[in-house]
Amino acid sequence: MAEVAQPIESQQSPIKQEEQQQNGDIEMLNGADSQTPIEGEKKEEEGDNKQDEPEEEKIPEDACETLYLQNLNEKVRIPVIIETLYSLFKPYRPLHPVIAHRNVRMRGQAFISFPDVKSANEAKKDVSEFPLYGKAIQISFARGRSDSIVKKLEGDEKFDEHQAHRLEEKKKKRRNNPLRQKAQAKLKAEETGAPTTKKQKLQMPDEYLPPNSVLFIQNLPEGTTSDDLREVFEVHSGLVEIRTIPAKKDIAFVEFQDENSATLAKDALHNFKIDGETKMKVTYARK
């Protein structure tokens, strides 16, 4: 019997094999493209991710736990200002007390402290220019730490050192005050008989001026207003009028109903420190 020939596996032509190989390479390339992002797309995605991450805010180098507030409405009473400021800054955990003074030199200003620098920085950023009683608050960091902060964070021992250093700095500033140095130089020149730089005008000494119902106020601190003087002089009966001089802001005239009322006010308020530091001079006015 004749043997049946086994079928030989079909062999493809070289051209067809080359076409299949090319088709396979194309499919592999397409598959790679669909799975692996291009390098440019990678960088773009990384950039987008970086933009989504919030940048950490930097705290200024001069930051401290205490804020210095300016441009406060001077017509509002001090207790009201203090209570309002504490309520305004309440979300940032302010510490007691809020410092605000009624004297002329510190009017319209206040100090408020916080538990840490971060809270103070957030309060400064959020509340700055807030229109409080019709005036935009101006806020900056205080030059130094407040007494309450030092006592809270450093303890009593450090607080005593801080307070002593602050008082010494205050005395130093007073000693170096140009007006004080000028007055001391003038007094020394008068005692030694040395000629002064300016020609002295001959005037009748104050103690020889005849009493009258009008008082002459001198050496007033900068920024003193008629309202400030009224607060001081109205405690004495018989006050009629207070006249300030726009061209010369360190003097004023205060008129009483009679000589007796003026004399009582003069004796009580001569050398009174209207701002806690500067002594004002009270004499009878010249007729």
Side-chain angles (χ1 to χ4, degrees):
M1 179 183 294
E3 293 181 359
V4 178
Q6 298 294 328
I8 303 174
E9 293 181 0
S10 61
Q11 295 182 354
Q12 297 177 345
S13 66
I15 296 176
K16 193 170 185 180
Q17 290 180 354
E18 185 177 353
E19 288 178 354
Q20 290 179 350
Q21 184 177 358
Q22 288 179 354
N23 292 335
D25 292 342
I26 291 173
E27 290 177 358
M28 290 178 62
L29 180 59
N30 291 336
D33 289 345
S34 61
Q35 296 177 2
T36 306
I38 302 175
E39 184 178 355
E41 294 178 355
K42 274 187 178 181
K43 291 182 179 180
E44 186 176 352
E45 290 178 0
E46 291 176 358
D48 292 339
N49 292 335
K50 288 182 178 179
Q51 290 178 0
D52 293 340
E53 295 177 359
E55 294 184 1
E56 186 176 352
E57 184 179 355
K58 293 183 179 179
I59 297 177
E61 295 182 358
D62 63 338
C64 68
E65 300 91 343
T66 302
L67 297 181
Y68 172 46
L69 279 57
Q70 294 176 278
N71 199 41
L72 301 176
N73 194 323
E74 300 177 9
K75 296 181 180 180
V76 181
R77 294 187 300 112
I78 296 299
V80 177
I81 280 287
I82 290 175
E83 184 178 356
T84 304
L85 288 176
Y86 189 81
S87 299
L88 180 63
F89 285 94
K90 193 172 183 179
Y92 310 96
R93 299 173 297 138
L95 301 178
H96 284 294
V98 176
I99 306 298
H101 300 285
R102 64 180 300 170
N103 62 62
V104 177
R105 187 172 60 89
M106 292 299 296
R107 279 197 173 186
Q109 306 168 60
F111 294 90
I112 184 167
S113 300
F114 300 87
D116 49 63
V117 176
K118 184 179 179 181
S119 299
N121 186 55
E122 291 178 355
K124 176 181 180 295
K125 179 185 65 173
D126 295 344
V127 184
S128 185
E129 300 297 329
F130 181 85
L132 183 65
Y133 296 116
K135 300 185 72 174
I137 306 177
Q138 297 177 5
I139 306 178
S140 59
F141 291 108
R143 295 181 180 178
R145 308 172 86 185
S146 68
D147 290 350
S148 58
I149 283 292
V150 175
K151 194 168 186 177
K152 178 180 178 63
L153 300 182
E154 304 292 343
D156 293 338
E157 184 177 350
K158 289 290 184 180
F159 172 72
D160 293 338
E161 294 179 6
H162 164 78
Q163 197 171 38
H165 176 72
R166 183 167 58 80
L167 292 175
E168 183 60 32
E169 288 292 323
K170 192 173 183 179
K171 291 179 181 178
K172 185 177 179 181
K173 288 181 180 179
R174 289 181 179 177
R175 288 195 299 267
N176 296 334
N177 187 298
L179 295 177
R180 179 185 177 89
Q181 292 177 346
K182 185 178 179 180
Q184 289 178 340
K186 180 180 178 181
L187 181 62
K188 186 176 181 180
E190 291 176 352
E191 292 175 351
T192 58
T196 56
T197 55
K198 292 184 179 180
K199 185 178 180 180
Q200 298 294 319
K201 294 181 180 180
L202 295 176
Q203 288 185 342
M204 181 182 294
D206 295 338
E207 58 269 21
Y208 293 108
L209 292 174
N212 61 82
S213 60
V214 181
L215 299 179
F216 181 44
I217 318 301
Q218 303 176 69
N219 198 35
L220 292 173
E222 183 179 359
T224 305
T225 64
S226 58
D227 291 336
D228 298 329
L229 292 172
R230 185 173 299 278
E231 289 182 3
V232 174
F233 282 91
E234 69 183 355
V235 298
H236 300 277
S237 61
L239 178 63
V240 176
E241 183 183 14
I242 294 176
R243 299 190 297 273
T244 56
I245 312 300
K248 197 166 178 61
K249 298 181 179 180
D250 60 339
I251 65 173
F253 293 90
V254 179
E255 183 177 354
F256 284 84
Q257 291 178 352
D258 51 51
E259 293 180 5
N260 291 334
S261 299
T263 300
L264 291 174
K266 170 183 172 296
D267 294 340
L269 296 175
H270 180 60
N271 288 332
F272 177 79
K273 298 178 180 179
I274 193 170
D275 64 346
E277 296 182 359
T278 308
K279 293 180 180 180
M280 65 179 183
K281 183 177 180 181
V282 183
T283 63
Y284 295 113
R286 297 177 185 274
K287 292 282 186 173

